[in-house]
């Protein structure tokens, strides 16, 4: 196995995922873990993650320096590369010209972690600092115009650093770099497989649940569906799946979800109509975090109602959620130095209810969840549905939510998705949706002046939602979508297409 020391990165788990994809067990540990704990795991290698801190700041995170003396290979990434350089006697400085995003890097050596790569590679940078002088005993292995020490390696020991991120998909041969580290440097074995993961989850659920009944909140998305199928397979009709209609759902969503669960022969599937409550609570609220909190708390209340009324026949002590890894990492839960981006509403659900929480998918990424779903024979069409956030359309209406804005957005979004499917573009996109921007601009329709809202179309390519690129949509399709929305949706006279990557933008607007 390989240890990933988390120095506060949004990507620490992505690194671990990439390692697992390559067939090697990876475990994430906090950066300040003791050397004894590391040794107890007998790792084949150690990866130092990136992180938002600067080694030039006091108190920025550092692992124990003993890790460089263990004769275990170490690979430092981004901030991890800078920390390694500084701790071993090199120098790090803030660079005036910061490098962010895609860059071309020149590789000076094509052995070690760069084995089999070309002399110029497209890679992805995301840090303002850089290593200005190397520690003794190290050589430079990669550089860019702005960053002469973009990569280094020790002349004799297995210590490597790279300023860029091999774990994100924008680094074209990032997987090759990680694979070189794992198999050529660390001599790790391929022995971690996703197929055994499913059985391990079912076995551990069986052991934990015995004859207990379980309540599961389903959203209609891939995650809760796979969680439901895993639980259904484990405990059958002792699973009570509950779907809350918040009034923040897409067009025809409740109907579609009901059909899916019917087809899957779930006996205990309940739909709770709570549109009015949610809309009342959200009235006049425009702050994104407040919206998310209100929705999270209202969920709790509605669930309490569900438990009291329809489920009082069964003693239910377990509450299951389809939370997946990216839902957790962006809530700043795992590491001390990760900065808070958004609170994902599904995490605020549990504690108050006094339930034991089970999250069968909590360590998995979206593509792993889909693979498990496939092995459970769930229909491909559902597994490849784009993700939909817990707070629903509330985070896709910028500012205040009103019934009028909801219905405008619902219609525009339905047209958008319908055209994407018709144009055979839907399956090429990781996530697509419409957003309502409550800004009015002037237009002309027929011979009359209009003064109406804007719709922004978002479509992103991604592997797991941690980073994303805008989808290069065919212009004719965009035109068709825009024409239909402006023609068919009352209240909209302008359509925009969003071409921002994540980072710096997030996928959702709030
Ligand atoms: P962001 O906007 O953070 O979104 O770039 C990343 C992915 O997460 C989804 N998302 C959520 N999913 N509950 C969820 O279950 C939430 O509160 C939530 N917020 C964002 C988003 O749709 C995208 O796929």
């Amino acid at each position: 196995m390989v240890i990933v020391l988390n120095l506060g990165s949004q990507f620490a788990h992505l690194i671990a995922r990439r390692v697992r994809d390559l067939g090697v067990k990876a475990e994430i540990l906090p950066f300040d873990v003791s050397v004894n704990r590391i040794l107890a795991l007998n790792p084949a290698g150690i990866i130092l993650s990136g992180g938002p801190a600067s080694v030039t700041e006091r108190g920025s995170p550092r692992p124990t320096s003993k890790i460089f003396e263990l004769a275990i290979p170490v690979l430092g990434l981004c901030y991890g590369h800078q920390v390694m350089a500084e701790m071993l006697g090199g120098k790090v400085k803030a660079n005036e010209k910061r490098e962010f995003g895609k860059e071309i890097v020149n590789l000076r050596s094509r052995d070690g972690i760069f084995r089999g790569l070309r002399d110029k590679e497209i890679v992805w940078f995301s840090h303002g600092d850089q290593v200005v002088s190397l520690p003794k005993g190290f050589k430079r292995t990669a550089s860019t115009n702005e960053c002469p020490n973009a990569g280094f390696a020790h002349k004799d020991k297995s210590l490597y650093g790279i300023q860029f991120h091999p774990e994100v998909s924008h680094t074209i041969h990032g997987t090759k770099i990680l694979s070189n580290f794992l198999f050529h440097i660390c001599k790790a074995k391929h022995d971690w497989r996703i197929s055994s993961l499913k059985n391990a989850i079912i076995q551990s659920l069986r052991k934990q649940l015995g004859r207990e009944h379980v309540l599961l909140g389903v959203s209609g998305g891939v995650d809760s569906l796979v969680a439901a199928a895993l639980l259904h397979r484990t405990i059958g009709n002792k699973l009570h799946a509950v779907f809350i209609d918040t009034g923040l759902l897409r067009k025809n969503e409740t109907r579609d979800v009901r059909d899916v669960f019917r087809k899957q022969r779930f006996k205990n599937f309940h739909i709770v109509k709570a549109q009015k409550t949610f809309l009342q609570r959200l009235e006049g609220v425009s702050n994104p975090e407040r919206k998310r909190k209100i929705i999270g708390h209202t969920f709790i209340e509605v669930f309490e109602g569900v438990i009291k009324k329809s489920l009082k026949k069964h003693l239910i002590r377990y509450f299951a959620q389809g939370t997946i890894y990216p839902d957790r990492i962006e809530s700043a839960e795992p590491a001390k130095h990760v900065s808070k981006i958004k609170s994902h509403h599904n995490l605020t659900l549990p504690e108050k209810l006094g339930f034991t929480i089970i999250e069968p998918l909590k360590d998995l990424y979206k593509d792993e969840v889909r693979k498990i779903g496939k092995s459970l024979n769930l229909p491909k069409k559902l597994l490849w549905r784009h993700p939909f956030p817990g707070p629903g359309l509330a985070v896709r209406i910028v500012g205040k939510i009103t019934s009028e804005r909801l219905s405008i957005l619902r219609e525009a979004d339905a047209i958008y998705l319908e055209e994407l499917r018709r144009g055979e573009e839907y399956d090429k996109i990781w996530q697509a949706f419409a957003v309502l921007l409550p800004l009015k601009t002037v237009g002309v329709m027929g011979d009359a002046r209009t003064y109406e809202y804007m719709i922004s179309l978002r479509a992103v390519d991604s592997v797991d939602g941690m980073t994303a690129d805008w989808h290069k949509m065919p212009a004719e399709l965009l035109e068709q979508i825009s024409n239909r929305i402006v023609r068919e949706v009352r209240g909209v006279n302008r359509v925009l297409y969003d071409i921002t990557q994540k980072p710096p933008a997030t996928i959702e607007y709030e």
Side-chain angles (χ1 to χ4, degrees), residues 126-345:
S126 82
H127 209 288
D129 293 354
Q130 62 164 280
V131 175
V132 288
S133 77
L134 294 178
K136 236 173 128 188
F138 280 78
K139 61 180 181 199
R140 176 184 293 171
T141 57
S143 53
T144 67
N145 290 344
E146 300 299 332
C147 180
N149 297 314
F152 60 67
H154 194 277
K155 290 177 186 150
D156 314 307
K157 301 178 190 169
S158 294
L159 301 176
Y160 300 86
I162 46 179
Q163 166 86 41
F164 47 90
H165 290 269
E167 69 276 23
V168 303
S169 53
H170 307 306
T171 296
I172 306 295
H173 291 120
T175 306
K176 178 76 182 145
I177 295 174
L178 290 175
S179 153
N180 283 335
F181 179 67
L182 294 175
F183 302 115
H184 294 297
I185 313 286
C186 303
K187 312 280 183 223
K189 290 197 189 97
H190 288 86
D191 56 5
W192 181 253
R193 306 248 173 281
I194 190 129
S195 54
S196 48
L197 219 59
K198 178 187 77 179
N199 295 333
I201 294 173
I202 291 179
Q203 257 171 32
S204 99
L205 285 175
R206 191 162 283 145
K207 205 164 133 200
Q208 185 184 7
L209 297 173
R211 300 172 149 267
E212 297 279 351
H213 286 253
V214 175
L215 184 61
L216 168 73
V218 291
S219 65
V222 181
D223 308 334
S224 53
L225 179 67
V226 174
L230 276 167
L231 282 158
H232 198 239
R233 173 118 358 150
T234 315
I235 57 170
N237 293 336
K238 293 196 189 71
L239 173 65
H240 304 263
V242 177
F243 177 81
I244 297 183
D245 187 344
T246 57
L248 304 167
L249 301 169
R250 288 166 291 190
K251 195 173 174 182
N252 296 331
E253 187 131 33
T254 306
R255 189 195 68 192
D256 295 348
V257 169
R258 191 184 52 218
D259 291 349
V260 168
F261 277 81
R262 267 197 195 142
K263 271 202 188 120
Q264 293 288 317
R265 298 177 194 282
F266 276 70
K267 190 168 157 235
N268 293 317
F269 175 64
H270 316 265
I271 294 177
V272 182
K273 295 201 162 114
Q275 297 97 314
K276 269 199 191 141
T277 316
F278 279 89
L279 294 192
Q280 268 166 12
R281 302 271 169 89
L282 287 165
E283 204 178 311
V285 178
S286 53
N287 179 296
E289 277 299 298
R290 266 199 74 208
K291 282 186 187 174
R292 284 176 172 269
K293 289 266 149 61
I294 288 171
I295 294 168
H297 293 143
T298 309
F299 252 87
I300 295 173
E301 270 187 52
V302 174
F303 257 103
E304 280 175 337
V306 170
I307 295 155
K308 280 187 196 130
K309 279 188 210 145
S310 47
L311 301 171
K312 65 183 166 197
K313 288 180 274 177
H314 309 279
L315 179 63
I316 301 186
R317 286 184 299 214
Y318 286 83
F319 181 85
Q321 297 188 133
T323 318
I324 66 167
Y325 217 97
D327 299 340
R328 302 200 300 143
I329 183 169
E330 299 218 351
S331 303
E333 177 243 357
K336 295 172 198 163
H337 288 263
V338 177
S339 54
K340 178 159 179 161
I341 296 171
K342 295 175 184 177
S343 39
H344 279 224
H345 94 285

